[in-house]
Amino acid sequence: MADLNLILLGPPGSGKGTQGERLQEDLELPYYATGDILRGAVKDGTDVGLKAKEYMDRGDLVPDEVIIGVIADRLESGEADHGFILDGFPRTVPQAEALDQKLGEISRQLTAVILIDVPDDEIVRRLSGRRVCTEGNHVYHVDFSPPEQEGVCDIDGSELIVRDDDNAEVIRNRLVQYHDKTAPLVDFYDGQALLNRVDGSMDPDRVGEAIRTLVSTLSLEEGT
Ligand code: AP5
């Protein structure tokens, strides 16, 4: 049986985390969201966290060598031997090339890249209303996906907060970084015939359905 090795690609706030959580439940695969991993590292005060914090606070990308090491460690650990979902990595062409090289070393290859497409003005609306829980990184929106009880996570009961980088100035810079450094990956993966576009401007359930349908097709093609 072949494995599903998936990448969720898309601008900040496109719904990678929202859909990644659903996909992880459906597929029961390890899910590596580099933003969550880095925020955890900052909270724990690790070397990686200390290196990453200033970049994240500004909305810049952390240096490639820092984040490539983080993902390489996970792929080498054995826990992703039967597939994985990557969210937020790769985010530059050098990161994508490093990922290809690492997967080649362990005789693996990507199954598909899922691009969640959302226009910039919608991104700003989404990120300005986002709330995240302090315990499990569960994601809400004050209007589009509110919790049952205001300020409290439905799933683990922890407090909901506004992320440090969800303020207008940093959101603007994150979009600039995306268009400048990450959007070239669309052509990069299109050139490898791995790119699959999903319209991320629909409501979360419809986006989830579109991704589920796509993944079912991929599973059939891969014989999983
Ligand atoms: P990261 O945490 O990955 O941030 P991001 O890419 O900016 O993505 P977000 O988490 O903001 O958005 P999302 O697409 O997950 O959307 P979500 O589901 O939350 O990275 C943070 C920082 O870490 C980076 O700026 C960088 O510094 C660093 N970093 C991380 N990876 C790196 C790498 N590889 N290289 C270098 N640096 C790296 O949804 C957003 C909101 O919209 C929520 O409120 C949600 O409820 C709502 N929503 C979701 N879907 C819908 C929908 N369909 N309709 C309406 N609302 C919706």
Side-chain angles (χ1 to χ4, degrees), residues 12-18 34-35 38-39 56 60-62 67 88-89 91 95 126 130 139-141 144 163 174 200 202-204:
S14 54
K16 302 181 298 295
T18 301
T34 41
L38 289 172
R39 277 183 292 280
M56 298 176 77
D60 288 338
L61 297 186
V62 307
I67 195 70
F89 183 92
R91 244 178 168 101
Q95 289 180 22
R126 287 190 189 179
R130 173 164 60 184
V139 184
Y140 299 84
H141 189 282
F144 309 134
R163 254 170 57 174
R174 285 160 64 200
M202 302 181 290
D203 71 60

PDB file of all heavy atoms in Angstrom, residues 12-18 34-35 38-39 56 60-62 67 88-89 91 95 126 130 139-141 144 163 174 200 202-204, ligand 1:
ATOM      1  N   PRO A  12      -1.399  33.090   4.334  1.00  0.00           N
ATOM      2  CA  PRO A  12      -1.780  33.130   5.737  1.00  0.00           C
ATOM      3  C   PRO A  12      -3.297  33.268   5.848  1.00  0.00           C
ATOM      4  O   PRO A  12      -3.899  34.024   5.082  1.00  0.00           O
ATOM      5  CB  PRO A  12      -1.077  34.393   6.271  1.00  0.00           C
ATOM      6  CG  PRO A  12      -0.638  35.162   5.073  1.00  0.00           C
ATOM      7  CD  PRO A  12      -0.476  34.171   3.975  1.00  0.00           C
ATOM      8  N   GLY A  13      -3.891  32.512   6.748  1.00  0.00           N
ATOM      9  CA  GLY A  13      -5.326  32.650   6.966  1.00  0.00           C
ATOM     10  C   GLY A  13      -6.192  31.998   5.912  1.00  0.00           C
ATOM     11  O   GLY A  13      -7.412  32.160   5.900  1.00  0.00           O
ATOM     12  N   SER A  14      -5.609  31.207   5.021  1.00  0.00           N
ATOM     13  CA  SER A  14      -6.417  30.583   3.969  1.00  0.00           C
ATOM     14  C   SER A  14      -7.229  29.407   4.495  1.00  0.00           C
ATOM     15  O   SER A  14      -8.142  28.928   3.824  1.00  0.00           O
ATOM     16  CB  SER A  14      -5.530  30.125   2.804  1.00  0.00           C
ATOM     17  OG  SER A  14      -4.499  29.297   3.274  1.00  0.00           O
ATOM     18  N   GLY A  15      -6.866  28.931   5.702  1.00  0.00           N
ATOM     19  CA  GLY A  15      -7.611  27.803   6.279  1.00  0.00           C
ATOM     20  C   GLY A  15      -6.789  26.523   6.334  1.00  0.00           C
ATOM     21  O   GLY A  15      -7.345  25.429   6.517  1.00  0.00           O
ATOM     22  N   LYS A  16      -5.471  26.638   6.237  1.00  0.00           N
ATOM     23  CA  LYS A  16      -4.621  25.438   6.295  1.00  0.00           C
ATOM     24  C   LYS A  16      -4.781  24.715   7.635  1.00  0.00           C
ATOM     25  O   LYS A  16      -4.921  23.501   7.690  1.00  0.00           O
ATOM     26  CB  LYS A  16      -3.143  25.809   6.076  1.00  0.00           C
ATOM     27  CG  LYS A  16      -2.872  26.525   4.764  1.00  0.00           C
ATOM     28  CD  LYS A  16      -1.404  26.851   4.576  1.00  0.00           C
ATOM     29  CE  LYS A  16      -0.819  27.791   5.605  1.00  0.00           C
ATOM     30  NZ  LYS A  16      -1.375  29.156   5.596  1.00  0.00           N
ATOM     31  N   GLY A  17      -4.764  25.506   8.728  1.00  0.00           N
ATOM     32  CA  GLY A  17      -4.902  24.901  10.060  1.00  0.00           C
ATOM     33  C   GLY A  17      -6.290  24.300  10.246  1.00  0.00           C
ATOM     34  O   GLY A  17      -6.447  23.184  10.751  1.00  0.00           O
ATOM     35  N   THR A  18      -7.317  25.047   9.832  1.00  0.00           N
ATOM     36  CA  THR A  18      -8.705  24.575   9.968  1.00  0.00           C
ATOM     37  C   THR A  18      -8.880  23.254   9.219  1.00  0.00           C
ATOM     38  O   THR A  18      -9.427  22.279   9.757  1.00  0.00           O
ATOM     39  CB  THR A  18      -9.670  25.635   9.371  1.00  0.00           C
ATOM     40  OG1 THR A  18      -9.481  26.858  10.068  1.00  0.00           O
ATOM     41  CG2 THR A  18     -11.111  25.196   9.452  1.00  0.00           C
ATOM     42  N   THR A  34       4.158  23.980  10.807  1.00  0.00           N
ATOM     43  CA  THR A  34       5.400  24.597  11.282  1.00  0.00           C
ATOM     44  C   THR A  34       5.139  25.826  12.155  1.00  0.00           C
ATOM     45  O   THR A  34       5.890  26.094  13.077  1.00  0.00           O
ATOM     46  CB  THR A  34       6.346  24.944  10.110  1.00  0.00           C
ATOM     47  OG1 THR A  34       5.589  25.481   9.036  1.00  0.00           O
ATOM     48  CG2 THR A  34       7.098  23.726   9.641  1.00  0.00           C
ATOM     49  N   GLY A  35       4.059  26.573  11.873  1.00  0.00           N
ATOM     50  CA  GLY A  35       3.742  27.720  12.729  1.00  0.00           C
ATOM     51  C   GLY A  35       3.486  27.263  14.166  1.00  0.00           C
ATOM     52  O   GLY A  35       4.017  27.841  15.122  1.00  0.00           O
ATOM     53  N   LEU A  38       6.738  26.130  15.773  1.00  0.00           N
ATOM     54  CA  LEU A  38       7.598  27.265  16.147  1.00  0.00           C
ATOM     55  C   LEU A  38       7.031  28.020  17.349  1.00  0.00           C
ATOM     56  O   LEU A  38       7.784  28.409  18.247  1.00  0.00           O
ATOM     57  CB  LEU A  38       7.759  28.216  14.950  1.00  0.00           C
ATOM     58  CG  LEU A  38       8.616  27.674  13.797  1.00  0.00           C
ATOM     59  CD1 LEU A  38       8.544  28.602  12.589  1.00  0.00           C
ATOM     60  CD2 LEU A  38      10.075  27.500  14.222  1.00  0.00           C
ATOM     61  N   ARG A  39       5.700  28.205  17.391  1.00  0.00           N
ATOM     62  CA  ARG A  39       5.120  28.896  18.558  1.00  0.00           C
ATOM     63  C   ARG A  39       5.358  28.082  19.832  1.00  0.00           C
ATOM     64  O   ARG A  39       5.634  28.635  20.885  1.00  0.00           O
ATOM     65  CB  ARG A  39       3.617  29.163  18.348  1.00  0.00           C
ATOM     66  CG  ARG A  39       3.339  30.419  17.529  1.00  0.00           C
ATOM     67  CD  ARG A  39       1.856  30.705  17.387  1.00  0.00           C
ATOM     68  NE  ARG A  39       1.180  29.719  16.560  1.00  0.00           N
ATOM     69  CZ  ARG A  39       1.191  29.714  15.236  1.00  0.00           C
ATOM     70  NH1 ARG A  39       1.813  30.663  14.580  1.00  0.00           N
ATOM     71  NH2 ARG A  39       0.576  28.771  14.551  1.00  0.00           N
ATOM     72  N   MET A  56       9.069  35.873  13.579  1.00  0.00           N
ATOM     73  CA  MET A  56       7.621  35.642  13.656  1.00  0.00           C
ATOM     74  C   MET A  56       6.890  36.908  14.102  1.00  0.00           C
ATOM     75  O   MET A  56       5.824  37.226  13.587  1.00  0.00           O
ATOM     76  CB  MET A  56       7.324  34.485  14.607  1.00  0.00           C
ATOM     77  CG  MET A  56       7.932  33.184  14.130  1.00  0.00           C
ATOM     78  SD  MET A  56       7.703  31.855  15.281  1.00  0.00           S
ATOM     79  CE  MET A  56       5.992  31.433  14.987  1.00  0.00           C
ATOM     80  N   ASP A  60       7.920  38.028   9.302  1.00  0.00           N
ATOM     81  CA  ASP A  60       8.896  37.547   8.319  1.00  0.00           C
ATOM     82  C   ASP A  60       9.003  36.035   8.420  1.00  0.00           C
ATOM     83  O   ASP A  60       8.632  35.447   9.448  1.00  0.00           O
ATOM     84  CB  ASP A  60      10.291  38.141   8.613  1.00  0.00           C
ATOM     85  CG  ASP A  60      10.364  39.612   8.269  1.00  0.00           C
ATOM     86  OD1 ASP A  60       9.541  40.067   7.447  1.00  0.00           O
ATOM     87  OD2 ASP A  60      11.238  40.303   8.826  1.00  0.00           O
ATOM     88  N   LEU A  61       9.576  35.425   7.397  1.00  0.00           N
ATOM     89  CA  LEU A  61       9.830  33.983   7.479  1.00  0.00           C
ATOM     90  C   LEU A  61      11.090  33.748   8.294  1.00  0.00           C
ATOM     91  O   LEU A  61      12.056  34.521   8.190  1.00  0.00           O
ATOM     92  CB  LEU A  61      10.019  33.398   6.072  1.00  0.00           C
ATOM     93  CG  LEU A  61       8.817  33.494   5.137  1.00  0.00           C
ATOM     94  CD1 LEU A  61       9.101  32.749   3.836  1.00  0.00           C
ATOM     95  CD2 LEU A  61       7.560  32.926   5.789  1.00  0.00           C
ATOM     96  N   VAL A  62      11.112  32.686   9.079  1.00  0.00           N
ATOM     97  CA  VAL A  62      12.343  32.347   9.809  1.00  0.00           C
ATOM     98  C   VAL A  62      13.333  31.784   8.779  1.00  0.00           C
ATOM     99  O   VAL A  62      12.931  31.298   7.710  1.00  0.00           O
ATOM    100  CB  VAL A  62      12.096  31.343  10.972  1.00  0.00           C
ATOM    101  CG1 VAL A  62      11.004  31.846  11.891  1.00  0.00           C
ATOM    102  CG2 VAL A  62      11.752  29.964  10.461  1.00  0.00           C
ATOM    103  N   ILE A  67      14.172  26.086   9.911  1.00  0.00           N
ATOM    104  CA  ILE A  67      12.928  25.314   9.767  1.00  0.00           C
ATOM    105  C   ILE A  67      13.162  23.989   9.031  1.00  0.00           C
ATOM    106  O   ILE A  67      12.501  22.984   9.320  1.00  0.00           O
ATOM    107  CB  ILE A  67      11.840  26.188   9.093  1.00  0.00           C
ATOM    108  CG1 ILE A  67      10.459  25.558   9.271  1.00  0.00           C
ATOM    109  CG2 ILE A  67      12.122  26.454   7.648  1.00  0.00           C
ATOM    110  CD1 ILE A  67       9.963  25.619  10.667  1.00  0.00           C
ATOM    111  N   GLY A  88       2.273  24.641   6.146  1.00  0.00           N
ATOM    112  CA  GLY A  88       3.164  25.786   6.353  1.00  0.00           C
ATOM    113  C   GLY A  88       4.610  25.473   6.017  1.00  0.00           C
ATOM    114  O   GLY A  88       5.480  26.306   6.248  1.00  0.00           O
ATOM    115  N   PHE A  89       4.864  24.318   5.519  1.00  0.00           N
ATOM    116  CA  PHE A  89       6.196  23.934   5.049  1.00  0.00           C
ATOM    117  C   PHE A  89       6.017  23.072   3.811  1.00  0.00           C
ATOM    118  O   PHE A  89       5.192  22.160   3.840  1.00  0.00           O
ATOM    119  CB  PHE A  89       6.947  23.141   6.130  1.00  0.00           C
ATOM    120  CG  PHE A  89       8.357  22.797   5.692  1.00  0.00           C
ATOM    121  CD1 PHE A  89       9.411  23.633   5.992  1.00  0.00           C
ATOM    122  CD2 PHE A  89       8.608  21.639   4.956  1.00  0.00           C
ATOM    123  CE1 PHE A  89      10.700  23.322   5.577  1.00  0.00           C
ATOM    124  CE2 PHE A  89       9.894  21.336   4.531  1.00  0.00           C
ATOM    125  CZ  PHE A  89      10.942  22.185   4.845  1.00  0.00           C
ATOM    126  N   ARG A  91       7.883  26.762   2.470  1.00  0.00           N
ATOM    127  CA  ARG A  91       7.379  28.112   2.243  1.00  0.00           C
ATOM    128  C   ARG A  91       8.308  28.921   1.349  1.00  0.00           C
ATOM    129  O   ARG A  91       8.038  30.089   1.107  1.00  0.00           O
ATOM    130  CB  ARG A  91       7.309  28.816   3.598  1.00  0.00           C
ATOM    131  CG  ARG A  91       5.917  29.191   4.023  1.00  0.00           C
ATOM    132  CD  ARG A  91       6.079  29.803   5.383  1.00  0.00           C
ATOM    133  NE  ARG A  91       4.946  30.468   5.863  1.00  0.00           N
ATOM    134  CZ  ARG A  91       4.106  29.957   6.749  1.00  0.00           C
ATOM    135  NH1 ARG A  91       4.251  28.731   7.176  1.00  0.00           N
ATOM    136  NH2 ARG A  91       3.127  30.677   7.207  1.00  0.00           N
ATOM    137  N   GLN A  95      13.372  25.635   0.594  1.00  0.00           N
ATOM    138  CA  GLN A  95      12.773  24.650   1.523  1.00  0.00           C
ATOM    139  C   GLN A  95      12.179  23.480   0.731  1.00  0.00           C
ATOM    140  O   GLN A  95      12.293  22.319   1.133  1.00  0.00           O
ATOM    141  CB  GLN A  95      11.672  25.299   2.370  1.00  0.00           C
ATOM    142  CG  GLN A  95      12.182  26.275   3.417  1.00  0.00           C
ATOM    143  CD  GLN A  95      11.072  26.911   4.243  1.00  0.00           C
ATOM    144  OE1 GLN A  95       9.960  26.388   4.345  1.00  0.00           O
ATOM    145  NE2 GLN A  95      11.368  28.045   4.856  1.00  0.00           N
ATOM    146  N   ARG A 126     -10.422  37.336   7.776  1.00  0.00           N
ATOM    147  CA  ARG A 126     -10.313  36.095   8.561  1.00  0.00           C
ATOM    148  C   ARG A 126      -9.329  36.247   9.712  1.00  0.00           C
ATOM    149  O   ARG A 126      -9.605  35.836  10.835  1.00  0.00           O
ATOM    150  CB  ARG A 126      -9.852  34.959   7.660  1.00  0.00           C
ATOM    151  CG  ARG A 126     -10.952  34.513   6.720  1.00  0.00           C
ATOM    152  CD  ARG A 126     -10.536  33.258   6.042  1.00  0.00           C
ATOM    153  NE  ARG A 126     -11.467  32.911   4.974  1.00  0.00           N
ATOM    154  CZ  ARG A 126     -11.326  31.862   4.202  1.00  0.00           C
ATOM    155  NH1 ARG A 126     -10.303  31.061   4.361  1.00  0.00           N
ATOM    156  NH2 ARG A 126     -12.208  31.599   3.261  1.00  0.00           N
ATOM    157  N   ARG A 130      -9.692  35.974  14.006  1.00  0.00           N
ATOM    158  CA  ARG A 130      -9.296  34.622  14.452  1.00  0.00           C
ATOM    159  C   ARG A 130      -9.033  34.584  15.964  1.00  0.00           C
ATOM    160  O   ARG A 130      -8.511  35.514  16.549  1.00  0.00           O
ATOM    161  CB  ARG A 130      -8.022  34.183  13.728  1.00  0.00           C
ATOM    162  CG  ARG A 130      -7.500  32.848  14.297  1.00  0.00           C
ATOM    163  CD  ARG A 130      -6.510  32.191  13.410  1.00  0.00           C
ATOM    164  NE  ARG A 130      -5.331  33.000  13.170  1.00  0.00           N
ATOM    165  CZ  ARG A 130      -4.363  32.630  12.343  1.00  0.00           C
ATOM    166  NH1 ARG A 130      -4.453  31.476  11.696  1.00  0.00           N
ATOM    167  NH2 ARG A 130      -3.315  33.395  12.149  1.00  0.00           N
ATOM    168  N   VAL A 139      -8.684  26.232  16.216  1.00  0.00           N
ATOM    169  CA  VAL A 139      -8.876  27.540  15.572  1.00  0.00           C
ATOM    170  C   VAL A 139     -10.347  27.918  15.503  1.00  0.00           C
ATOM    171  O   VAL A 139     -11.195  27.095  15.141  1.00  0.00           O
ATOM    172  CB  VAL A 139      -8.323  27.490  14.126  1.00  0.00           C
ATOM    173  CG1 VAL A 139      -8.426  28.856  13.470  1.00  0.00           C
ATOM    174  CG2 VAL A 139      -6.887  27.012  14.104  1.00  0.00           C
ATOM    175  N   TYR A 140     -10.661  29.190  15.817  1.00  0.00           N
ATOM    176  CA  TYR A 140     -12.037  29.718  15.748  1.00  0.00           C
ATOM    177  C   TYR A 140     -12.026  31.052  15.024  1.00  0.00           C
ATOM    178  O   TYR A 140     -10.966  31.632  14.788  1.00  0.00           O
ATOM    179  CB  TYR A 140     -12.599  29.916  17.170  1.00  0.00           C
ATOM    180  CG  TYR A 140     -12.666  28.622  17.952  1.00  0.00           C
ATOM    181  CD1 TYR A 140     -11.541  28.145  18.625  1.00  0.00           C
ATOM    182  CD2 TYR A 140     -13.827  27.868  17.968  1.00  0.00           C
ATOM    183  CE1 TYR A 140     -11.586  26.944  19.313  1.00  0.00           C
ATOM    184  CE2 TYR A 140     -13.886  26.659  18.657  1.00  0.00           C
ATOM    185  CZ  TYR A 140     -12.765  26.208  19.324  1.00  0.00           C
ATOM    186  OH  TYR A 140     -12.818  25.018  19.998  1.00  0.00           O
ATOM    187  N   HIS A 141     -13.233  31.526  14.699  1.00  0.00           N
ATOM    188  CA  HIS A 141     -13.367  32.885  14.175  1.00  0.00           C
ATOM    189  C   HIS A 141     -14.592  33.490  14.844  1.00  0.00           C
ATOM    190  O   HIS A 141     -15.625  32.815  14.967  1.00  0.00           O
ATOM    191  CB  HIS A 141     -13.538  32.867  12.649  1.00  0.00           C
ATOM    192  CG  HIS A 141     -13.464  34.229  12.048  1.00  0.00           C
ATOM    193  ND1 HIS A 141     -14.505  35.128  12.077  1.00  0.00           N
ATOM    194  CD2 HIS A 141     -12.437  34.867  11.413  1.00  0.00           C
ATOM    195  CE1 HIS A 141     -14.134  36.251  11.478  1.00  0.00           C
ATOM    196  NE2 HIS A 141     -12.892  36.116  11.068  1.00  0.00           N
ATOM    197  N   PHE A 144     -17.266  33.604  11.744  1.00  0.00           N
ATOM    198  CA  PHE A 144     -17.455  32.464  10.835  1.00  0.00           C
ATOM    199  C   PHE A 144     -17.452  31.119  11.544  1.00  0.00           C
ATOM    200  O   PHE A 144     -17.982  30.133  11.039  1.00  0.00           O
ATOM    201  CB  PHE A 144     -16.354  32.439   9.759  1.00  0.00           C
ATOM    202  CG  PHE A 144     -16.185  33.749   9.036  1.00  0.00           C
ATOM    203  CD1 PHE A 144     -14.925  34.283   8.813  1.00  0.00           C
ATOM    204  CD2 PHE A 144     -17.296  34.450   8.579  1.00  0.00           C
ATOM    205  CE1 PHE A 144     -14.771  35.490   8.144  1.00  0.00           C
ATOM    206  CE2 PHE A 144     -17.141  35.663   7.911  1.00  0.00           C
ATOM    207  CZ  PHE A 144     -15.879  36.185   7.700  1.00  0.00           C
ATOM    208  N   ARG A 163      -3.662  35.667  18.306  1.00  0.00           N
ATOM    209  CA  ARG A 163      -2.243  35.429  18.076  1.00  0.00           C
ATOM    210  C   ARG A 163      -1.474  36.744  17.965  1.00  0.00           C
ATOM    211  O   ARG A 163      -1.999  37.709  17.428  1.00  0.00           O
ATOM    212  CB  ARG A 163      -2.064  34.628  16.771  1.00  0.00           C
ATOM    213  CG  ARG A 163      -1.687  33.196  17.004  1.00  0.00           C
ATOM    214  CD  ARG A 163      -1.750  32.366  15.766  1.00  0.00           C
ATOM    215  NE  ARG A 163      -0.917  32.836  14.656  1.00  0.00           N
ATOM    216  CZ  ARG A 163      -0.758  32.158  13.522  1.00  0.00           C
ATOM    217  NH1 ARG A 163      -1.364  30.996  13.375  1.00  0.00           N
ATOM    218  NH2 ARG A 163      -0.015  32.630  12.556  1.00  0.00           N
ATOM    219  N   ARG A 174       2.932  39.626   6.395  1.00  0.00           N
ATOM    220  CA  ARG A 174       2.838  38.181   6.105  1.00  0.00           C
ATOM    221  C   ARG A 174       2.342  37.949   4.681  1.00  0.00           C
ATOM    222  O   ARG A 174       2.784  37.030   4.002  1.00  0.00           O
ATOM    223  CB  ARG A 174       1.924  37.503   7.135  1.00  0.00           C
ATOM    224  CG  ARG A 174       2.615  37.355   8.494  1.00  0.00           C
ATOM    225  CD  ARG A 174       1.641  37.143   9.617  1.00  0.00           C
ATOM    226  NE  ARG A 174       0.886  35.907   9.511  1.00  0.00           N
ATOM    227  CZ  ARG A 174      -0.263  35.699  10.152  1.00  0.00           C
ATOM    228  NH1 ARG A 174      -0.783  36.630  10.926  1.00  0.00           N
ATOM    229  NH2 ARG A 174      -0.876  34.561  10.012  1.00  0.00           N
ATOM    230  N   GLY A 200     -10.685  28.099  -1.623  1.00  0.00           N
ATOM    231  CA  GLY A 200     -10.772  28.263  -0.165  1.00  0.00           C
ATOM    232  C   GLY A 200     -11.705  29.368   0.256  1.00  0.00           C
ATOM    233  O   GLY A 200     -11.822  29.649   1.453  1.00  0.00           O
ATOM    234  N   MET A 202     -14.910  29.316  -0.117  1.00  0.00           N
ATOM    235  CA  MET A 202     -16.228  28.750   0.289  1.00  0.00           C
ATOM    236  C   MET A 202     -16.235  28.607   1.818  1.00  0.00           C
ATOM    237  O   MET A 202     -15.213  28.779   2.472  1.00  0.00           O
ATOM    238  CB  MET A 202     -16.416  27.370  -0.346  1.00  0.00           C
ATOM    239  CG  MET A 202     -16.328  27.383  -1.863  1.00  0.00           C
ATOM    240  SD  MET A 202     -16.578  25.730  -2.572  1.00  0.00           S
ATOM    241  CE  MET A 202     -15.113  24.853  -2.093  1.00  0.00           C
ATOM    242  N   ASP A 203     -17.395  28.215   2.384  1.00  0.00           N
ATOM    243  CA  ASP A 203     -17.409  28.054   3.837  1.00  0.00           C
ATOM    244  C   ASP A 203     -16.576  26.821   4.224  1.00  0.00           C
ATOM    245  O   ASP A 203     -16.310  25.951   3.384  1.00  0.00           O
ATOM    246  CB  ASP A 203     -18.846  28.009   4.386  1.00  0.00           C
ATOM    247  CG  ASP A 203     -19.553  26.733   4.030  1.00  0.00           C
ATOM    248  OD1 ASP A 203     -19.075  25.658   4.418  1.00  0.00           O
ATOM    249  OD2 ASP A 203     -20.598  26.809   3.342  1.00  0.00           O
ATOM    250  N   PRO A 204     -16.120  26.751   5.499  1.00  0.00           N
ATOM    251  CA  PRO A 204     -15.162  25.713   5.894  1.00  0.00           C
ATOM    252  C   PRO A 204     -15.640  24.286   5.578  1.00  0.00           C
ATOM    253  O   PRO A 204     -14.839  23.434   5.185  1.00  0.00           O
ATOM    254  CB  PRO A 204     -15.012  25.912   7.401  1.00  0.00           C
ATOM    255  CG  PRO A 204     -15.396  27.327   7.651  1.00  0.00           C
ATOM    256  CD  PRO A 204     -16.401  27.701   6.593  1.00  0.00           C
TER     257      PRO A 204
HETATM  258  P1  AP5 B   1       1.729  29.963  10.481  1.00  0.00           P
HETATM  259  O1  AP5 B   1       1.203  29.700  11.826  1.00  0.00           O
HETATM  260  O2  AP5 B   1       1.902  28.825   9.548  1.00  0.00           O
HETATM  261  O3  AP5 B   1       0.874  31.118   9.843  1.00  0.00           O
HETATM  262  P2  AP5 B   1       0.239  31.311   8.392  1.00  0.00           P
HETATM  263  O4  AP5 B   1       0.773  30.597   7.234  1.00  0.00           O
HETATM  264  O5  AP5 B   1       0.283  32.784   8.313  1.00  0.00           O
HETATM  265  O6  AP5 B   1      -1.078  30.641   8.471  1.00  0.00           O
HETATM  266  P3  AP5 B   1      -2.137  30.860   9.534  1.00  0.00           P
HETATM  267  O7  AP5 B   1      -1.941  29.954  10.699  1.00  0.00           O
HETATM  268  O8  AP5 B   1      -2.214  32.347   9.857  1.00  0.00           O
HETATM  269  O9  AP5 B   1      -3.476  30.564   8.746  1.00  0.00           O
HETATM  270  P4  AP5 B   1      -4.150  29.225   8.267  1.00  0.00           P
HETATM  271  O10 AP5 B   1      -3.999  29.105   6.792  1.00  0.00           O
HETATM  272  O11 AP5 B   1      -3.702  28.057   9.100  1.00  0.00           O
HETATM  273  O12 AP5 B   1      -5.648  29.607   8.536  1.00  0.00           O
HETATM  274  P5  AP5 B   1      -6.631  29.170   9.733  1.00  0.00           P
HETATM  275  O13 AP5 B   1      -7.128  27.792   9.518  1.00  0.00           O
HETATM  276  O14 AP5 B   1      -6.022  29.486  11.058  1.00  0.00           O
HETATM  277  O15 AP5 B   1       3.158  30.668  10.586  1.00  0.00           O
HETATM  278  C1  AP5 B   1       3.382  31.735  11.501  1.00  0.00           C
HETATM  279  C2  AP5 B   1       4.810  32.251  11.348  1.00  0.00           C
HETATM  280  O16 AP5 B   1       5.756  31.184  11.591  1.00  0.00           O
HETATM  281  C3  AP5 B   1       5.176  32.756   9.942  1.00  0.00           C
HETATM  282  O17 AP5 B   1       4.780  34.096   9.754  1.00  0.00           O
HETATM  283  C4  AP5 B   1       6.711  32.584   9.966  1.00  0.00           C
HETATM  284  O18 AP5 B   1       7.337  33.595  10.697  1.00  0.00           O
HETATM  285  C5  AP5 B   1       6.893  31.290  10.734  1.00  0.00           C
HETATM  286  N1  AP5 B   1       6.927  30.094   9.858  1.00  0.00           N
HETATM  287  C6  AP5 B   1       6.066  29.035   9.861  1.00  0.00           C
HETATM  288  N2  AP5 B   1       6.429  28.125   8.944  1.00  0.00           N
HETATM  289  C7  AP5 B   1       7.541  28.611   8.346  1.00  0.00           C
HETATM  290  C8  AP5 B   1       8.386  28.142   7.298  1.00  0.00           C
HETATM  291  N3  AP5 B   1       8.153  26.975   6.679  1.00  0.00           N
HETATM  292  N4  AP5 B   1       9.445  28.903   6.934  1.00  0.00           N
HETATM  293  C9  AP5 B   1       9.717  30.070   7.535  1.00  0.00           C
HETATM  294  N5  AP5 B   1       8.955  30.586   8.538  1.00  0.00           N
HETATM  295  C10 AP5 B   1       7.877  29.863   8.927  1.00  0.00           C
HETATM  296  O19 AP5 B   1      -7.852  30.166   9.436  1.00  0.00           O
HETATM  297  C11 AP5 B   1      -7.743  31.565   9.627  1.00  0.00           C
HETATM  298  C12 AP5 B   1      -9.072  32.133  10.177  1.00  0.00           C
HETATM  299  O20 AP5 B   1     -10.075  32.012   9.180  1.00  0.00           O
HETATM  300  C13 AP5 B   1      -9.609  31.374  11.414  1.00  0.00           C
HETATM  301  O21 AP5 B   1     -10.235  32.293  12.250  1.00  0.00           O
HETATM  302  C14 AP5 B   1     -10.648  30.382  10.822  1.00  0.00           C
HETATM  303  O22 AP5 B   1     -11.677  30.077  11.747  1.00  0.00           O
HETATM  304  C15 AP5 B   1     -11.158  31.177   9.633  1.00  0.00           C
HETATM  305  N6  AP5 B   1     -11.508  30.323   8.490  1.00  0.00           N
HETATM  306  C16 AP5 B   1     -10.837  29.221   8.037  1.00  0.00           C
HETATM  307  N7  AP5 B   1     -11.431  28.729   6.937  1.00  0.00           N
HETATM  308  C17 AP5 B   1     -12.485  29.551   6.674  1.00  0.00           C
HETATM  309  C18 AP5 B   1     -13.478  29.581   5.645  1.00  0.00           C
HETATM  310  N8  AP5 B   1     -13.491  28.666   4.655  1.00  0.00           N
HETATM  311  N9  AP5 B   1     -14.405  30.579   5.667  1.00  0.00           N
HETATM  312  C19 AP5 B   1     -14.394  31.516   6.659  1.00  0.00           C
HETATM  313  N10 AP5 B   1     -13.473  31.531   7.674  1.00  0.00           N
HETATM  314  C20 AP5 B   1     -12.532  30.577   7.666  1.00  0.00           C
END
